[in-house]
Amino acid sequence: MADYKQIMQDYNNKRPEFRGTSFIGVSRNGKRNWQIISMFNGSKFYLGTVDNMLKAAIIYDIFSTQTKGINAKTNFNYTVREMKCIISLPCLMKIKNRIQDLKRKGQ
């Protein structure tokens, strides 16, 4: 994988006002943050915002693999061992829903 600085430099040299990326499910949200959005069962899921385009792409890959299975389209190629690790991680949607529930109870 190319280093992050080179990817960002290439991205910024193309079209700085362009919000999209070459990564599936990742777009710019403002000037510095990157948002992750995925489609699942005909619904759009907003997974969150991170400060790094590569982090966003990896989070998308994890969610996509967890929800769509081993044949999901991902941004990077993974070994069998890496895929097993991704599948064994806690489900991102369950974690996000639990955080939202805790925030609601705290209000």
Side-chain angles (χ1 to χ4, degrees), residues 34-49:
W34 301 92
Q35 65 184 4
I36 308 119
I37 298 176
S38 180
M39 294 292 291
F40 179 66
N41 286 341
S43 297
K44 190 181 286 190
F45 285 93
Y46 173 75
L47 297 173
T49 303

Side-chain angles (χ1 to χ4, degrees), residues 34-107:
W34 301 92
Q35 65 184 4
I36 308 119
I37 298 176
S38 180
M39 294 292 291
F40 179 66
N41 286 341
S43 297
K44 190 181 286 190
F45 285 93
Y46 173 75
L47 297 173
T49 303
V50 294
D51 62 345
N52 182 305
M53 183 170 46
L54 293 178
K55 283 183 198 175
I58 292 168
I59 291 170
Y60 172 87
D61 287 356
I62 292 169
F63 177 79
S64 184
T65 302
Q66 288 179 341
T67 56
K68 300 172 186 169
I70 199 105
N71 294 324
K73 290 183 182 179
T74 59
N75 292 300
F76 304 105
N77 295 321
Y78 296 98
T79 64
V80 172
R81 184 177 180 187
E82 290 169 333
M83 290 300 281
K84 286 180 181 179
C85 290
I86 289 171
I87 291 170
S88 69
L89 290 170
C91 179
L92 292 180
M93 282 308 295
K94 288 181 183 177
I95 293 170
K96 182 179 178 180
N97 290 338
R98 180 71 177 135
I99 290 169
Q100 287 175 342
D101 290 343
L102 291 171
K103 284 182 179 179
R104 276 188 229 119
K105 288 179 183 177
Q107 292 180 353

